[in-house]
Amino acid sequence: MTETMSAWVRETYGPSDGVHLEQIPVPIPRPGEVVLRVEATALNAGDIRLMLGDPLLVRPVFGLTRPKHPVRGMEVAGTVVAVGSQEIGAEVGERVVGELVGGGGLASHVAVPATRLVPIPPDVTSETAACLPIAAGTAWQALDHAGIGFRSVKHTAAGHVPRVLVLGASGGVGTFVVQLAALRGAEVWATCGERNARLVEHLGAVRTLDHRRSPLTELPAAHFDAVIDIAGGMPLRDLQRLVISGGRVVLVTGDGGPVLGPIPRMVKAAFLSIGSSRRIRPLAASPRSEILAKLLELTAEGRITPVIEREFGFDEARAALAHLEAGHTVGKVVVRGA
C-alpha cells in the first residue's frame, strides 16, 4: 500500500459544504484489526448528526470541540489488504462488511476491529452489503425489541398474525423493517409519503398511510401488536394508545432537541411505561455480527433487498452527504470506493 490515501475530511462540526478531499496517512492495523480497501460505504442519518455534532449530548463522546473521527461513513464493505497481530479470523483478499466506530468509510482505506466484520457471500455486491450493518441491523433489533419474531408453529396453529405499524417506512431503516416484519409473518401497516406508497407496498406492507392526510389519531385504539417509530414527532401517549395490552412501542428515532436530543423523550417513555401493559421501549442498536451474518444470508437468498435510492462515485462523496443532509432520502445512499 502507499503511505497516504484520499479521504473526505471535515475537521470541525458543521454542514456538508465544509467537507473536503485530503491526503491522509493510510491506517496501520493494530492488534485485532484489519485494514480494508473500501469498495462501498453506505451513509445514514447518524453520519449527518455526527457531522453536525447534533445534539450537543454526543460531543463528549465523539469530540467535545471537534470530531474525533473527521471522516464520515460507518457502514463499509471492502477487501482485507492488511492484518494486525493477534488476528487469525480474517485473511488478506477476503471480502467483508461491517460497522465502524464513529466513521472512516469515506476514504480509500480504513482500519476496523476484525470482530465487527462478516464475510460477504459471493453473489452479494459490496454496494448491497454496505447497506446492511446499521440500517438492516437496527431494523432486526427493533423487531426483536417489539417481540415480533419469526412465527412459530404454535403461533401459526393459533391463527394469530401479529399486526405491526411502521412509522417512517421509506427511509433506510424503515424499508428493512417492512421487509423483515413481513418475512417474520406479520401484517405490516406503514406510513410514508404518497409518492413512496407503491414502493413500501412492494416491500411487504398491506396498507400504507400518509399521516399528513390521514392523522394517526384516527386509527382505532389497540389495533397493533407493535408500533415501530422511526419517523418521530408523534406524542407518546398517541403511540401507546395504538397497541394492544401486552403490545410494545419501539422508539428507533433519535428525535429531540439540539442539546439533550432524545433523552427527554426516553425519560417520558419510561414514565408512561410504569405499571402499563403497553410498554414504550427506546432502542439503542448495537453491532451484532451474528445478526449481520443472517442478514447477508437473507440477502443472498433474495428474501430481502436493500432499497438504494442513489449511488455516488467516490469523487462525489460531498454531494452524497449533502443529499442525505437535505432529508427525504428514500432507502439508502451509497458511495462507491475510490
Side-chain angles (χ1 to χ4, degrees):
M1 294 187 294
T2 59
E3 293 183 357
T4 62
M5 65 176 183
S6 298
W8 287 94
V9 175
R10 200 188 201 293
E11 298 284 359
T12 59
Y13 290 117
S16 57
D17 58 10
V19 176
H20 61 280
L21 193 61
E22 189 174 305
Q23 291 295 309
I24 64 174
V26 173
I28 297 173
R30 294 179 294 184
E33 288 186 339
V34 302
V35 171
L36 304 184
R37 182 178 68 248
V38 178
E39 296 173 357
T41 300
L43 300 177
N44 297 276
D47 289 303
I48 302 303
R49 289 191 176 275
L50 290 180
M51 182 178 70
L52 297 173
D54 173 40
L56 294 177
L57 183 69
V58 306
R59 297 194 183 191
V61 177
F62 293 100
L64 194 59
T65 59
R66 60 180 57 229
K68 292 179 182 178
H69 302 279
V71 180
R72 297 275 57 80
M74 295 184 287
E75 290 181 298
V76 295
T79 299
V80 177
V81 295
V83 178
S85 62
Q86 302 176 22
E87 175 44 49
I88 59 174
E91 299 179 357
V92 171
E94 187 176 21
R95 291 174 63 238
V96 294
V97 61
E99 178 182 342
L100 305 179
V101 180
L106 293 180
S108 64
H109 296 79
V110 67
V112 193
T115 54
R116 287 177 174 257
L117 297 172
V118 176
I120 302 173
D123 294 336
V124 177
T125 68
S126 294
E127 290 79 9
T128 294
C131 296
L132 299 175
I134 295 177
T138 298
W140 184 290
Q141 292 176 61
L143 290 168
D144 284 351
H145 236 45
I148 305 299
F150 287 95
R151 290 178 66 190
S152 66
V153 174
K154 178 180 178 181
H155 287 149
T156 303
H160 176 65
V161 177
R163 184 180 292 129
V164 178
L165 175 63
V166 184
L167 305 179
S170 61
V173 175
T175 50
F176 282 116
V177 172
V178 171
Q179 293 181 76
L180 289 169
L183 194 61
R184 294 182 181 200
E187 177 187 311
V188 183
W189 293 34
T191 69
C192 61
E194 185 178 1
R195 70 186 180 98
N196 298 320
R198 183 171 295 183
L199 166 67
V200 173
E201 289 168 0
H202 176 73
L203 295 175
V206 300
R207 182 173 175 183
T208 56
L209 308 164
D210 187 339
H211 68 276
R212 291 166 296 187
R213 298 188 179 188
S214 304
L216 299 181
T217 52
E218 296 180 0
L219 289 173
H223 198 60
F224 300 95
D225 294 82
V227 172
I228 312 294
D229 181 21
I230 308 164
M234 188 172 178
L236 294 178
R237 288 186 185 276
D238 290 344
L239 296 179
Q240 197 174 33
R241 181 189 70 87
L242 293 173
V243 297
I244 62 173
S245 177
R248 297 177 186 173
V249 175
V250 176
L251 306 178
V252 177
T253 176
D255 206 28
V259 178
L260 296 178
I263 297 299
R265 198 164 191 248
M266 292 167 63
V267 171
K268 185 174 182 180
F271 176 77
L272 291 175
S273 297
I274 296 174
S276 174
S277 63
R278 298 172 174 86
R279 300 284 301 278
I280 306 175
R281 303 185 64 183
L283 174 67
S286 59
R288 301 275 297 277
S289 58
E290 71 276 14
I291 291 177
L292 180 54
K294 292 175 183 177
L295 290 165
L296 285 162
E297 182 180 344
L298 292 174
T299 302
E301 293 171 352
R303 300 175 73 187
I304 61 171
T305 304
V307 175
I308 300 177
E309 181 189 64
R310 187 172 171 185
E311 291 185 15
F312 291 82
F314 183 76
D315 59 346
E316 303 174 297
R318 181 168 53 209
L321 287 166
H323 179 75
L324 196 63
E325 186 182 2
H328 308 297
T329 300
V330 178
K332 299 288 293 179
V333 169
V334 175
V335 178
R336 296 186 293 273

